[in-house]
């Protein structure tokens, strides 16, 4: 039903606006003089109020109105920004969010929430004090100025009210809008002194389409408001209507322009304007006179120079009114033209699937094409193939979003938690423009949250301790993201006390994870914190109540085919480094063969290929490592790993792969070459199969398994280090 | 939305109950067209109309227009509070041309 779609749009818009409001409020504390920020906050609240009004959500309107008044005083400089006020506004913003959720889920507010609302309203009202009639003063000033001008030039109308002309497109009813609700909302802004319903376009019953809108309206409104506020009433139908607003005491020129533009005969609209008292009879006559006897000079000029400028120059229209008109033309909403479009995630996934199929089909076609040896065909196919690759890359990029939004959410978290812990903490963000697949961004939020909280809770020392150590009182948490050889790296670091090696080692020994005699490198000790059962669950706060420990963090990251490492220096700080794959759907791979089976190794992780025989001499036959130019390289025999029987081939090759800082080798028989392929996920049955992360279909129709390089590399590395530990 | 008709001496007496919103608009339109084509004069009782929106109001206006063009006589004899509210809000009492009478039992 159209109504549900509207509600969803309402919710989405409110969510975005509330998010903008929060971001701006957090910034304004550091930058109190920034008028753009103040305006942005005001505008957000204002738009929420307007939209809520359209839906009749009066409680949201009522509350937001109070907040808006406070913001208005802020904008005008009547009150100043303070930490207290920002905190109050943030809480108010949170409350508005609660109200929005309540109306969308159609649940009543709890008594607790109601009380909170009343409390906030009272606090906000405190900032309003006596209604400083400053705004009215300005209007008075303008009015008297205009009076002077009226007396001088006689070019202003005496009408104190707004005249609003509304023509709706036929489809608005089908979209779920009803002009009646707009008119009701206007009557809440002030008093509608007169309204004329234009029925010219309405056909008779036999010809009418009952679901189309044929009505227009000429409305006279007595209200102490602004052009912006009136326009915001019609926000939802902005693109489907023609709205003309004439402010109180507009110039006669403007009325004349309106009369000419409106699709009604001059006499008829004149009559309507007089009836609604927008113009007096005399003024109407005057306007029509100007029309019929233009002063040739001024007409010519007006046509060349933007009307707004001319009018302001000749002091015929208040600059404020002109600015509103100009802004409307430039379609500025929050100062940024909208460059994006909402797309249904399912549609996007479907598109990417299709492109995947296209890539596979392309590979098959490529094989056959090259087999024909037909030069012309091969050339034209190459052209096609290039386009297929470009389309593939573009499509994948569609799913990529910047991590900035996720990072920015932490501003609020850091602010709130630092107050909670009574520590001074600031957040530094870099690499926000780094892009990741949408699903990855969504899933990384929780683990990041835990790491950040951890750093704030345990990593950063209390203020006095920091000062006594010669560190700055304010602790710093850094969030950084960047691309690195086919992966995305996200770092969470703090300049706190660092990990306590001794404590961790002791705890691990107590839990039996490590034997007392073993010697471990610092790195190995630090990585122990990811072991299950290791979480330092001292405090249960509103976040850690979810039962998220370091081991769960690592599991979550690994489920995304990623990995996490921790680096630390005593007294200096700790850094968590998370590595995640860039794309999930189509990869460039390296095709290899073992016995009669085909495997694909993700190309971005392949370093080089070496022939086993060439390196044989340096190593024991049954040990699984070689000396690669002075470096020890452990390797895995895929034949053994996958239990493929057959005679030993004479020429075996090692594909050297790298994941993060670790290198390993994969022992295979044949090397076939590079290809692009679509990852087809394996069914749930195969999720425990080690070493394989997906499957694909080759050009010749054969199924190849995709090697889980990160998994194998980790296993090989662990195996080696465990072997080293136990051997020691 | 039930639309009922009684013929009294050749005059179509129509009563519409419930909602006249965009959801019912098509149906009400067809029904009214039919009744109008079958008689020369019509009287409409809207005293039990619970909700009416722009589509509904348009139908009333269109009905009046059609009748005028066809030389037929259509009047709205009773209005519910909601109907009166919308007519006043849009200031179309004059256009519709019926005297507005609230049935006893409705307060204004």
């Amino acid at each position: 039903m159209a109504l549900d779609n509207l509600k969803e749009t309402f919710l989405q818009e409110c969510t975005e606006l509330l998010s903008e409001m929060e971001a701006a409020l957090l910034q304004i504390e550091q930058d109190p003089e920034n008028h753009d920020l103040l305006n942005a906050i005001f505008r957000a609240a204002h738009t929420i109020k307007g939209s809520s009004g359209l839906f009749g959500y009066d409680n949201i309107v009522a509350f937001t109105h109070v907040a808006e008044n406070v913001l208005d005083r802020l904008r005008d400089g009547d009150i100043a920004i303070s930490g207290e006020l920002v905190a109050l506004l943030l809480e108010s913003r949170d409350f508005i969010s609660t109200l929005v959720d309540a109306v969308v889920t159609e649940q009543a507010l709890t008594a607790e929430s109601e009380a909170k609302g009343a409390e906030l309203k009272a606090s906000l009202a405190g900032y309003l004090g006596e209604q400083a009639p400053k705004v009215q003063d300005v209007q008075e000033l303008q009015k008297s100025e205009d009076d002077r001008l009226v007396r001088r030039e006689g070019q202003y109308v005496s009408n104190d009210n707004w005249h609003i002309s509304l023509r709706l497109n036929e489809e608005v009813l089908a979209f779920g809008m009803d002009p009646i609700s707009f008119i009701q909302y206007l009557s809440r802004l002030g008093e509608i002194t007169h309204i004329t319903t234009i029925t010219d376009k309405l056909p008779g019953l036999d010809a009418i389409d009952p679901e189309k809108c044929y009505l227009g309206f000429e409305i006279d409104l007595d209200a102490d408001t602004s052009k912006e506020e009136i326009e915001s009433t019609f926000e939802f139908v902005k693109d489907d209507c023609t709205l003309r607003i004439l402010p109180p005491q507009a110039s006669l020129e403007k009325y004349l322009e309106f009369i000419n533009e409106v699709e009604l005969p001059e006499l008829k609209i004149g009559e309507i304007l007089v009836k609604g008292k927008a113009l007096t009879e005399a003024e109407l006559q005057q306007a029509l006179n100007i029309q019929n006897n233009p002063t040739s000079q001024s007409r010519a000029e007006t046509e060349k120079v933007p009307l707004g400028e001319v009018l302001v120059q000749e002091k015929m229209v208040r600059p404020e009114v002109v600015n509103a008109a100009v802004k409307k033309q430039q379609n500025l909403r929050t100062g940024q033209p909208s460059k994006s479009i909402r797309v249904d995630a399912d549609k996007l996934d479907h598109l990417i699937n299709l492109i995947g199929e296209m890539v596979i089909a392309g590979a098959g076609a490529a094989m056959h094409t090259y087999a024909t040896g037909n030069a012309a065909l091969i050339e034209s196919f190459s052209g096609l193939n290039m386009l297929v690759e470009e389309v593939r890359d573009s499509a994948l990029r569609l799913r990529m979003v910047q991590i900035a939004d996720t990072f920015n959410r932490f501003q609020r978290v850091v602010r709130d938690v630092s107050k909670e812990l009574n520590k001074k903490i600031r957040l530094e963000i870099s690499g926000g423009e780094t892009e990741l697949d949408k699903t990855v961004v969504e899933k990384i939020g929780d683990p990041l949250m835990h790491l950040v909280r951890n750093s704030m809770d345990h990593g950063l020392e209390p203020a006095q301790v920091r000062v006594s150590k010669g560190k700055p009182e304010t602790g710093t948490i850094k969030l950084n993201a960047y691309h690195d050889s086919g992966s995305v790296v996200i770092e969470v670091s703090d300049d706190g006390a660092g990990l306590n090696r001794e404590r961790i080692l002791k705890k691990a020994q107590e839990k039996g994870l490590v034997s007392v005699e073993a010697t471990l490198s610092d790195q190995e000790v630090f990585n122990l914190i990811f072991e299950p059962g290791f979480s330092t669950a001292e405090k249960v706060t509103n976040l850690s109540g979810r039962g998220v420990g370091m081991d769960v963090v690592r599991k979550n990251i690994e489920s995304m085919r990623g990995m996490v490492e921790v680096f630390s220096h005593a007294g200096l700080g700790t850094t968590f480094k998370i590595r995640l794959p860039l794309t999930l759907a189509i990869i460039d791979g390296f095709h290899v063969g073992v016995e009669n089976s085909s495997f694909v190794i993700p190309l971005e992780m392949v370093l080089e290929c070496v022939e086993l025989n060439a390196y044989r001499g340096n190593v024991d036959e049954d040990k699984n490592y070689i000396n690669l130019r002075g470096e020890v390289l452990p390797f895995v025999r895929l034949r053994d790993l996958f239990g493929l029987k057959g005679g030993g081939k004479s020429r075996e090759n090692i594909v050297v792969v790298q994941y993060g800082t670790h290198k390993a080798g994969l022992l295979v028989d044949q090397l076939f070459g590079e290809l692009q392929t679509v990852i087809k996920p394996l069914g749930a049955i195969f999720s425990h199969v080690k070493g394989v992360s997906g499957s694909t279909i080759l050009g010749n129709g054969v199924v190849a398994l995709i090697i889980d390089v990160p998994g194998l590399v980790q296993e090989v590395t662990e195996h080696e280090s465990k072997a080293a530990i136990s051997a020691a | 939305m039930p639309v009922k008709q009684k013929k009294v001496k050749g005059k179509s007496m129509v009563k519409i109950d419930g909602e006249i919103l965009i959801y019912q608009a098509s149906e009400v339109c067809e029904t009214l067209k039919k009744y109008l084509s079958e008689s020369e004069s019509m009287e409409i009782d809207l005293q039990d109309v619970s909700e009416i929106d722009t589509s509904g109001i348009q139908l009333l206006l269109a009905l009046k227009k059609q009748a005028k063009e066809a030389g037929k006589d259509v009047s709205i004899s009773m209005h519910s509070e909601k109907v009166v509210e919308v007519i006043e809000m849009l200031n179309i009492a004059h256009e519709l041309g019926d005297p507005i009478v609230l049935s006893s039992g409705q307060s204004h």
Side-chain angles (χ1 to χ4, degrees):
Chain A
M1 228 167 70
L3 204 59
D4 284 333
N5 276 342
L6 273 179
K7 249 193 182 173
E8 215 191 279
T9 309
F10 171 73
L11 178 62
Q12 275 173 350
E13 293 234 356
C14 280
T15 309
E16 275 176 20
L17 289 165
L18 285 168
S19 166
E20 275 171 30
M21 219 174 133
E22 187 180 50
L25 278 170
L26 288 169
Q27 274 187 284
I28 198 100
E29 249 186 320
Q30 326 291 354
D31 195 3
E33 297 301 311
N34 190 331
H35 279 279
D36 285 337
L37 284 176
L38 280 172
N39 280 331
I41 302 171
F42 178 88
R43 224 181 285 271
H46 186 71
T47 310
I48 294 175
K49 188 181 93 167
S51 306
S52 310
L54 270 181
F55 280 81
Y57 298 140
D58 288 332
N59 58 345
I60 304 184
V61 175
F63 183 84
T64 315
H65 188 71
V66 183
E68 198 190 15
N69 283 342
V70 175
L71 289 166
D72 206 14
R73 296 201 82 195
L74 260 178
R75 265 205 315 187
D76 291 342
D78 283 344
I79 50 180
I81 279 286
S82 67
E84 241 177 62
L85 181 54
V86 170
L88 176 61
L89 288 171
L90 279 171
E91 271 188 278
S92 303
R93 181 223 84 103
D94 289 343
F95 187 68
I96 296 173
S97 179
T98 312
L99 288 175
V100 169
D101 285 336
V103 299
V104 168
T105 56
E106 285 175 20
Q107 282 171 352
L109 282 182
T110 64
E112 199 188 316
S113 296
E114 298 263 10
K116 180 88 193 173
E119 190 190 311
L120 287 171
K121 252 196 207 171
S123 308
L124 285 169
Y127 282 91
L128 291 174
E130 290 153 20
Q131 265 296 344
K134 189 176 186 239
V135 176
Q136 285 164 5
D137 275 345
V138 173
Q139 284 197 353
E140 298 287 359
L141 206 60
Q142 286 279 25
K143 271 193 198 160
S144 56
E145 239 183 68
D146 293 349
D147 283 343
R148 275 181 263 127
L149 286 167
V150 167
R151 272 178 259 133
R152 223 187 302 148
E153 301 191 35
Q155 293 286 4
Y156 281 100
V157 304
S158 53
N159 177 25
D160 267 349
N161 298 336
W162 297 83
H163 184 83
I164 301 164
S165 169
L166 179 66
R167 299 287 182 276
L168 298 150
N169 291 0
E170 286 183 342
E171 321 82 50
V172 296
L173 293 181
F175 288 154
M177 313 285 176
D178 194 318
I180 291 178
S181 57
F182 297 119
I183 296 169
Q184 276 173 333
Y185 186 68
L186 280 180
S187 66
R188 269 184 249 147
L189 286 181
E191 192 195 322
I192 295 186
T193 55
H194 189 85
I195 176 172
T196 306
T197 301
I198 313 284
T199 54
D200 285 13
K201 291 222 176 89
L202 188 72
L205 200 64
D206 279 345
I208 192 176
D209 178 345
E211 291 168 10
K212 284 202 174 136
C213 182
Y214 300 93
L215 304 179
F217 303 93
E218 297 291 330
I219 305 169
D220 295 286
L221 179 72
D222 178 3
D224 183 12
T225 175
S226 63
K227 201 163 193 188
E228 272 176 12
E229 186 157 20
I230 297 179
E231 279 171 355
S232 72
T233 306
F234 299 94
E235 199 70 63
F236 274 149
V237 286
K238 171 164 83 95
D239 296 328
D240 298 302
C241 74
T242 307
L243 179 68
R244 290 187 203 88
I245 305 177
L246 291 154
Q249 288 146 16
S251 74
L252 215 49
E253 281 270 357
K254 265 224 155 302
Y255 267 97
L256 185 54
E257 194 188 312
F258 167 65
I259 292 172
N260 287 330
E261 271 176 12
V262 131
E263 287 163 356
L264 285 172
E266 204 174 80
L267 283 179
K268 176 118 197 238
I269 183 67
E271 198 184 300
I272 292 178
L273 289 170
V274 169
K275 219 176 187 180
K277 300 210 172 74
L279 291 178
T280 64
E281 272 285 0
E283 285 163 344
L284 176 62
Q285 287 311 316
Q286 214 178 349
L288 296 177
N289 278 341
I290 298 180
Q291 156 112 308
N292 299 324
N293 309 309
T295 51
S296 48
Q297 273 258 305
S298 63
R299 261 287 120 95
E301 275 172 25
T302 337
E303 266 148 40
K304 285 196 203 116
V305 180
L307 190 61
E309 264 181 47
V310 172
L311 291 175
V312 175
Q313 275 170 23
E314 297 184 26
K315 292 189 175 41
M316 284 205 279
V317 179
R318 294 201 294 255
E320 171 193 16
V321 171
V322 175
N323 284 338
V326 169
K327 271 203 190 136
K328 190 169 179 229
Q329 279 170 29
Q330 288 177 359
N331 216 9
L332 284 169
R333 273 177 45 167
T334 48
Q336 281 162 9
S338 173
K339 276 207 242 165
S340 61
I341 175 176
R342 271 192 214 291
V343 172
D344 198 3
D346 288 336
K347 287 189 190 161
L348 195 55
D349 284 339
H350 182 62
L351 177 67
I352 291 181
N353 270 340
L354 283 177
I355 292 178
E357 300 293 331
M358 190 165 77
V359 168
I360 295 180
M367 259 185 50
H368 293 127
T369 306
Y370 293 128
T372 66
N374 181 332
L377 180 61
I378 291 178
E379 191 175 324
S380 71
F381 184 82
S382 291
L384 182 63
N385 216 22
M386 272 198 331
L387 285 171
V388 168
E389 278 186 39
E390 271 188 58
V391 169
R392 174 203 71 172
D393 290 340
S394 285
L396 289 176
R397 255 179 266 126
L398 286 176
R399 283 182 56 97
M400 306 280 266
V401 291
Q402 292 187 348
I403 198 167
D405 277 343
T406 308
F407 278 179
N408 284 331
R409 269 193 273 135
F410 285 93
Q411 290 285 10
R412 181 78 193 270
V413 173
V414 168
R415 185 186 186 281
D416 289 346
V417 174
S418 64
K419 291 227 158 39
E420 212 181 289
L421 297 171
N422 227 336
K423 294 181 181 171
K424 285 209 177 122
I425 309 180
R426 57 176 264 269
L427 178 64
E428 229 178 73
I429 292 178
S430 56
E433 66 285 350
T434 308
E435 288 186 341
L436 294 153
D437 186 274
K438 183 172 183 295
T439 35
V440 173
V441 163
E442 282 161 15
K443 289 194 194 160
I444 202 66
D446 278 350
L448 274 183
M449 179 73 79
H450 188 82
L451 292 176
V452 168
R453 261 219 83 117
N454 226 58
S455 289
M456 290 196 283
D457 255 337
H458 309 300
L460 292 174
E461 318 93 324
Q464 315 100 299
V465 178
R466 287 181 68 88
V467 169
S468 71
K469 282 196 197 166
K471 284 183 173 176
E473 198 188 347
T474 309
T476 305
I477 304 267
K478 277 200 202 144
L479 287 173
N480 186 23
Y482 55 90
H483 288 166
D484 176 42
S485 62
S487 311
V488 171
V489 179
I490 302 174
E491 291 173 346
V492 180
S493 26
D494 64 68
D495 63 350
L499 293 173
N500 187 328
R501 188 187 195 274
E502 304 312 317
R503 228 183 73 187
I504 296 174
L505 189 55
K506 196 149 169 241
K507 210 162 193 180
Q509 285 167 346
E510 278 169 25
K511 294 202 186 263
L513 293 166
V514 168
S515 76
V516 188
E517 295 89 38
T519 44
L520 296 159
S521 71
D522 284 354
Q523 200 52 45
E524 286 156 344
V525 174
F526 293 148
N527 278 327
L528 287 169
I529 64 175
F530 291 113
E531 292 300 321
F534 211 93
S535 336
T536 46
E538 291 154 8
K539 283 184 236 163
V540 176
T541 64
N542 52 4
L543 180 70
S544 34
R546 288 201 216 151
V548 178
M550 279 306 202
D551 59 324
V552 178
V553 167
R554 185 165 73 172
K555 276 211 186 72
N556 280 342
I557 293 174
E558 284 177 353
S559 77
M560 290 186 264
R561 291 178 17 221
M563 71 185 235
V564 59
E565 295 173 299
V566 60
F567 304 93
S568 176
H569 292 282
L572 288 179
T574 310
T575 300
F576 288 94
K577 208 165 176 185
I578 303 172
R579 202 169 260 277
L580 298 163
L582 253 188
T583 61
L584 307 176
I586 297 181
I587 58 168
D588 288 318
F590 192 67
H591 180 195
V592 299
V594 180
E595 291 297 327
N596 290 323
S597 301
S598 282
F599 296 91
V600 172
I601 303 172
L603 195 61
E604 67 225 8
M605 296 183 241
V606 173
L607 282 180
E608 60 178 311
C609 305
V610 299
E611 255 188 64
L612 183 60
N613 290 333
Y615 290 80
R616 234 344 166 202
N618 297 337
V619 152
D620 295 338
E621 282 285 327
D622 52 353
K623 291 268 197 282
N624 287 349
Y625 45 88
I626 60 169
N627 178 341
L628 185 69
R629 302 183 295 270
E631 201 186 319
V632 175
L633 184 79
F635 64 80
V636 177
R637 293 170 194 272
L638 290 188
R639 180 181 294 121
D640 293 343
L641 181 67
F642 295 122
L644 297 164
K645 302 270 194 285
K649 292 273 192 261
S650 51
R651 282 176 87 182
E652 287 173 300
N653 295 290
I654 292 187
V655 178
V656 183
V657 293
Q658 174 170 26
Y659 190 62
T661 49
H662 308 285
K663 276 192 203 170
L666 304 173
L667 184 66
V668 302
D669 295 335
Q670 302 123 301
L671 303 173
F672 290 118
E674 292 175 27
L675 48 54
Q676 296 162 10
T677 185
V678 176
I679 302 180
K680 295 274 181 205
L682 291 172
I685 310 179
F686 302 106
S687 57
H688 296 299
V689 175
K690 272 205 205 128
V692 173
S693 66
S695 64
T696 185
I697 304 178
L698 299 175
N700 57 9
V702 164
V703 172
L705 293 176
I706 300 176
I707 303 287
D708 173 18
V709 171
L712 282 183
V713 168
Q714 259 184 322
E715 210 182 285
V716 165
T717 319
E718 271 172 23
H719 179 77
E720 288 307 311
S721 65
K722 279 201 183 119
I725 292 170
S726 54
Chain B
M1 169 230 93
V3 185
K4 294 179 281 214
Q5 183 189 215
K6 269 189 313 202
K7 281 274 182 88
V8 173
K9 293 185 197 158
K11 185 168 186 169
S12 169
M13 310 288 281
V14 178
K15 187 166 192 302
I16 308 181
D17 296 333
E19 302 178 328
I20 313 179
L21 303 176
I22 188 168
Y23 313 108
Q24 294 90 13
S26 275
E27 217 184 308
V28 172
C29 182
E30 289 308 309
T31 312
L32 288 175
K33 274 201 280 195
K34 183 160 161 301
Y35 292 160
L36 187 63
S37 67
E38 290 167 0
S39 46
E40 291 301 311
S41 136
M42 188 190 283
E43 210 176 278
I44 308 187
D45 178 347
L46 301 176
Q47 66 176 294
D48 286 321
V49 169
S50 58
E51 289 282 344
I52 186 163
D53 67 0
T54 297
S55 315
I57 284 291
Q58 280 184 163
L59 284 182
L60 296 178
L61 289 165
L63 174 61
K64 288 269 181 175
K65 185 164 181 190
Q66 181 84 22
K68 198 161 160 197
E69 284 169 10
K72 301 189 180 180
D73 168 45
V74 170
S75 64
I76 304 178
S77 58
M78 305 285 252
H79 306 75
S80 71
E81 217 177 293
K82 196 70 198 195
V83 172
V84 173
E85 196 184 302
V86 175
I87 291 180
E88 285 184 349
M89 186 192 312
L90 300 182
N91 196 13
I92 48 174
H94 186 73
E95 181 132 2
L96 287 170
D98 310 289
I100 297 193
V101 176
L102 288 171
S103 62
S104 61
Q106 288 181 9
S107 56
H108 194 32

